[in-house]
Amino acid sequence: MNYNFNKIEAKWQKYWAENQTFKASNSSEKPKYYVLDMFPYPSGAGLHVGHPLGYIASDIYARYKRHKGFNVLHPQGYDSFGLPAEQYAIQTGQHPAITTKDNIARYREQLDKIGFSFDWSREVRTSNPEYYKWTQWIFIQLFESWYDLEADKSRPVSELSAIFAAEGNTRVKAACDDDIEDFSAEAWNKFSSEEKQRILLKYRLTYLAETEVNWCPQLGTVLANDEIINGVSERGGYPVIRKKMTQWSMRISAFAERLLNGLEKLDWTDSLKESQRNWIGKSVGAIVEFPILSFPKGEEKAKPGYMTGGNNSHLLIEKAKENRKNPTEAEAALWSQLRNKQLDGYKFRQQHLIDDFIVDFVCLSKKLVIEVDGGIHKETKEYDEERTKILADSGFEVLRFKNEEVLGGIETVLEKISNNLAQLKDYSDQENESNIPPSGARGIKVFTTRPDTIFGVTFMTLAPEHDLVKEITTDAQREEVEAYIEATAKRSERERMADVKTISGAFTGAYAEHPFTKEPIPIWIGDYVLAGYGTGAVMAVPCGDQRDYDFAKHFEIPIKDIFENADISEEAHSGKEGTVIANSDFLSGLEYKEALQKAILKLEEIGAGYGKTNYRLRDAVFSRQRYWGEPFPVYYVNGLPQMIDVEYLPLHLPEVEKYLPTETGEPPLGNAKKWFWNRKLNKVVAPPLEGEGEDIFPLELNTMPGWAGSSWYLFRYMDAGNDEVFASEAALDYWENVDLYIGGSEHATGHLLYSRFWTKFLKDRGYLKVEEPFKKLINQGMILGTSAFGYYTYYSIINKFTKEVIVDRKLVFIPKEVYIETLAEGSDSLEKIIDRDVDINLKERIDKGELILGMPVNYTHIPVEFVNSSDELDVEAFKNWRPEFKDAEFVTEESGAYVVGREVEKMSKSKYNVVNPDDICEDFGADTLRMYEMFLGPIDQAKPWNTAGITGVHNFLKKLWKLYYSSPNPSEGGEQTFFVSEEKASADALKTLHKTIKKVTEDIENFSFNTSVSTFMICVNELSAQKCNSREVLEPLAVLIAPYAPHIAEELWSKLGHSESISTATYPEFEEQFLVESTKNYPISFNGKMRFTMELPMDMSKDEIEKTVMADERTQKQLDGRTPKKVIIVPGKIVNIVG
RNA sequence: GCCUUGGUGGCGGAAUUGGUAGACGCGCUGGAUUCAAAAUCCAGUUCUUUCGAGAGUGUGGGUUCGAUUCCCACCCAAGGUACCA
């Protein structure tokens, strides 16, 4: 019987499905093993042969582990929320749920044909409400958590509130927003509920924050970086700008150190771990604060808020204003005497901000602060002391009066003030008050990894988006700066990073003060500084940093050399090791490391900075302005987010008529007719009518990103149907985490980091016991397509005088060489071709110059299914494909065929190079497809698909089949029938078998599937040559190959007399004894080049080998009379003769 | 730009720890079988060659008795670069 793969494969696929052969149990005597593929997105195009590559590899491993006695969990499902379905919905109006369902059905059908051992009873889809209920639940858990930096773990927010109520927020160390104000327990307890919510939001692991996005006003939507091409949208070509938007963020940065350290224990490739390390980007350095030295004239009056810290000042200003409106009696009395330069002509300000403090009165020109105690603005004693200290540090004198003093005898108070004013140094001589930072030490914070080079700072650069830019820019520079900011807003972040050639920037006109030298440092803005990195500002050290160097050269900013023996005439000296600092005051003469330490110490000493570890990892934006994603279980009361109670989950995705943003630019959910939450009824309702708004609040309009559902799906598979919890404790305890994960390296920093983050979070909160989701990870490379190209000319002949068109764009396909030659050298060959095609009379008239011949050339993709393995085109099929090719002519080879050009590209519909796995299964069988995909090359590398090569693997399976179909007495002319001999196998056959067991097992453990396929081929070739038909060899061979070619293995297994599936048959054991060799075929090299080989006994000694080799006549011939200088002998390996 | 991976015959690729470069398969060439074709089987197939041999693993250097493998510099290609999944 012939190898009828279609019949065999259908039979066993049916058997597996009916018997639930691969259904995994959540309890078993056997050890567990969890094999997972990266979550597929079911695209509309269906699977092409590139997709199953990783699934085949994981399936082989899963099946191998079953043979090895493991209880294997090998599930599959769909990451079914995503942009493509939404795009399709926008274009066609078709609901994404419907297209997604269809696509999944198609995927499933295709997957089933390949014979995977998936446990389909556990299938999940992220877009199913039963699934996203738990994604929403996890979001709520994140919202209800904060990160305790001391315990280094996530804790419930209720515990944080308790801490605040007991001791305020000054002692707790938490991962939080930058703009946190200190408050006491008393203060906390007095805060309104809303105030508390606002503060807690700054601590939660998911929080609302302003983030920069790529906004396309015309499309009314946010675009991904790769949806932007040259600053305009890919769709439509509309302009895109950077815009700030309030969005949900995930505080992944709190986990940075754990994500970094956790890598060490993972069995991932070094390159992948390295990618994650770089992404997390830990750098140790210092925060340095440069006080802003100058403000433009008049500005300090108009804007009293030049404080340290961004949003703090805004809050303080509000408070100060309030204070001004409601003075105490004493304050009001004093102010009436101080205002309008009444006292000795000195100008006083009331309720003024200095640093982060509000003082009652201040005379800036004398740096004198007047405080009146005991009023309604009374602060705690602790706070007062701290404030006095900081004010003193900034050079302010503080004068305190009690309420009674002011009210009892204002004359005495005024006299005291007056005396003080007279004694104090006058700061107003330096150009008004503008040289004194009006509010004290407002500064620019920078993060630097090289505080040792601080004396080399000659300018500062801020990101153009930096909050301070608008405030510090002088009138003279304003126009230039604003134009620059506008220009930058048009460039994407990636563009800005990639483009190092164009140096651009603008001077703000402002200066900062060097913390040590007190020299003024000009403040520039430049787009090489990114707002999201560090503090969005750098201290530029042109002598030590190339980008600063280039910037300085370009704008002719001085470059200060602070290195010993470094040449900085051409480029910056960025080396660290062995660098000695010079020209740097107390750092001079110190080596890099010492200088670094000392610089940080000094900075801390003078209060201008402190050592800090910085991470490049930014908090992850979690909002998407899309329809087809998980809705947030969130509604808003007075703009503050509220979580829907867990018992009312899932919050279903609403129906909308249009999947586009609303006319007012809101996300697509804004189109939903019913998208409000009734807090009383706990359900989704229509917008409130007049008078019934009390319990009805708007729901969140954004949806979650693609990575929400895929960050935790591995745990859902452990207990997929559970509607009480995301997975039961028993299931989680049994399966723990994924033992082997296979997928593309493109997920290195996205999915793989986010799922590690969520796993750590869920562990902290006690929902999981594991710290990591994926123990071992293998990357799969992409399978590329081999595109086919046709080259053509479309020539026209026009009458020079009458302009009559005689031949209109006639299409002639030409050989590739002619095309290339025409482009490179000229059209000689092309003309010859056209001459043959053109009517003789016309040709004569062309030669006479009466007619003009135009013949442009071009190329086009040709569908690969029209091309055979010899690159010859099926001309008729191609002509019928599209009307424009109907009348095309073809210049053929001698054989009469038109030969296409070939090139390797990504497999894609638009390139007409997609190969469908269904077709391959139909023509060659799933077993052939599986083995061929593995045979193509190493699993982790990209390689082109070439269907022509598949016959080799197919023939191999036919040969394998024949080994078992070797009826000793086939009837004359009849087919071979199944036969295995029960006799002892030959020594050669056993050697072949055990050699194969050894190699294949090693390969499978090393995920070197391509070499194991080769090994099988060698094995079958050898056994065929040996005419081996003994059960002793063929039975273990069937098990050995079963993970790779399961259908044929099942068939042979049943023919061998087994009634159970082969899937759990015991894996054959390798035995060394069959491989023992007594001789070695030694390569004999001369100066490292192998010239001939010699068969010598394995146990021969070094001396004997040398003697034997030297005595050989071929050795003497090679040496040609010379005496060798040296003879190197590695027993069992080689002989090398030098000389 | 930065990070990661890779570069070996006409093609996919192999080569364990520095030890016979090109296993295995495709393609190609020749042969057997056949009226013929398909299928199958056998032999050959890195390049150059004056048939002695010589060269050769992206390029240029280095270490070594010996380098595809280790080191340095460079070139090229692919993936990622934070809203494609």
Side-chain angles (χ1 to χ4, degrees), chain A residues 595-648:
Chain A
L596 199 83
Q597 294 307 320
K598 192 150 184 199
I600 295 174
L601 270 176
K602 276 276 181 186
L603 284 167
E604 284 173 357
E605 230 175 272
I606 64 164
Y610 51 91
K612 191 176 188 233
T613 301
N614 213 38
Y615 299 92
R616 201 178 73 101
L617 183 72
R618 320 203 276 252
D619 281 347
V621 180
F622 200 66
S623 298
R624 298 290 184 272
Q625 295 69 45
R626 315 280 187 200
Y627 174 73
W628 193 230
E630 297 88 346
F632 284 86
V634 174
Y635 62 94
Y636 290 88
V637 178
N638 290 335
L640 287 166
Q642 314 293 324
M643 295 297 123
I644 287 174
D645 283 343
V646 170
E647 59 186 301
Y648 303 111

Side-chain angles (χ1 to χ4, degrees), chain A residues 3 16 59 145 267 296 312 332 376 434 440 730 760 780 853 1012 1037:
Chain A
Y3 170 42
W16 296 329
D59 196 59
S145 302
D267 186 5
N312 255 357
I376 53 164
S434 62
K760 286 177 194 301
Q780 92 199 44
L853 172 66
S1012 52
L1037 179 63

Side-chain angles (χ1 to χ4, degrees), chain A residues 377-642:
Chain A
H377 312 311
K378 189 180 166 187
E379 308 285 353
T380 63
K381 202 183 162 208
E382 232 178 39
Y383 182 77
D384 258 348
E385 278 168 10
E386 195 192 340
R387 160 155 73 175
T388 309
K389 185 181 167 290
I390 290 177
L391 291 175
D393 285 350
S394 332
F396 283 86
E397 192 72 33
V398 182
L399 214 56
R400 284 179 189 283
F401 297 100
K402 291 210 161 61
N403 266 349
E404 312 83 80
E405 283 182 85
V406 178
L407 295 172
I410 200 154
E411 297 306 327
T412 333
V413 170
L414 288 174
E415 201 181 321
K416 268 192 192 167
I417 297 171
S418 186
N419 286 343
N420 263 285
L421 285 171
Q423 281 162 30
L424 285 168
K425 187 175 169 252
D426 197 351
Y427 294 89
S428 62
D429 52 348
Q430 305 147 7
E431 236 195 276
N432 223 336
E433 288 169 357
S434 62
N435 275 356
I436 315 156
S439 314
R442 178 91 194 252
I444 299 175
K445 275 188 182 153
V446 300
F447 175 78
T448 173
T449 54
R450 295 292 304 273
D452 55 311
T453 62
I454 190 158
F455 285 92
V457 173
T458 56
F459 62 101
M460 303 191 70
T461 316
L462 306 187
E465 305 91 332
H466 198 288
D467 287 339
L468 267 177
V469 173
K470 277 195 193 103
E471 296 177 29
I472 61 171
T473 302
T474 59
D475 289 338
Q477 294 300 110
R478 192 167 303 279
E479 205 175 316
E480 188 189 337
V481 166
E482 277 171 5
Y484 184 70
I485 292 171
E486 208 189 311
T488 312
K490 287 181 187 150
R491 301 183 78 195
S492 73
E493 204 165 279
R494 196 179 307 169
E495 243 181 297
R496 282 166 62 176
M497 279 189 287
D499 184 7
V500 290
K501 282 180 207 121
T502 23
I503 295 158
S504 67
F507 180 45
T508 62
Y511 289 85
E513 184 184 79
H514 192 285
F516 293 116
T517 66
K518 305 290 176 197
E519 279 171 303
I521 307 285
I523 304 169
W524 288 69
I525 59 171
D527 68 3
Y528 76 102
V529 180
L530 301 173
Y533 286 35
T535 61
V538 300
M539 57 173 225
V541 183
C543 64
D545 182 280
Q546 193 56 43
R547 304 195 75 172
D548 295 343
Y549 185 92
D550 295 339
F551 196 87
K553 282 267 166 177
H554 188 261
F555 290 107
E556 293 173 351
I557 303 168
I559 295 171
K560 197 175 152 193
D561 188 1
I562 49 140
F563 300 116
E564 245 169 50
N565 304 322
D567 176 18
I568 58 155
S569 58
E570 291 299 321
E571 55 175 15
H573 172 79
S574 54
K576 293 178 187 171
E577 296 311 314
T579 298
V580 177
I581 306 292
N583 205 7
S584 294
D585 194 1
F586 58 90
L587 296 177
S588 296
L590 296 179
E591 194 258 326
Y592 151 74
K593 267 193 190 133
E594 271 177 288
L596 199 83
Q597 294 307 320
K598 192 150 184 199
I600 295 174
L601 270 176
K602 276 276 181 186
L603 284 167
E604 284 173 357
E605 230 175 272
I606 64 164
Y610 51 91
K612 191 176 188 233
T613 301
N614 213 38
Y615 299 92
R616 201 178 73 101
L617 183 72
R618 320 203 276 252
D619 281 347
V621 180
F622 200 66
S623 298
R624 298 290 184 272
Q625 295 69 45
R626 315 280 187 200
Y627 174 73
W628 193 230
E630 297 88 346
F632 284 86
V634 174
Y635 62 94
Y636 290 88
V637 178
N638 290 335
L640 287 166
Q642 314 293 324

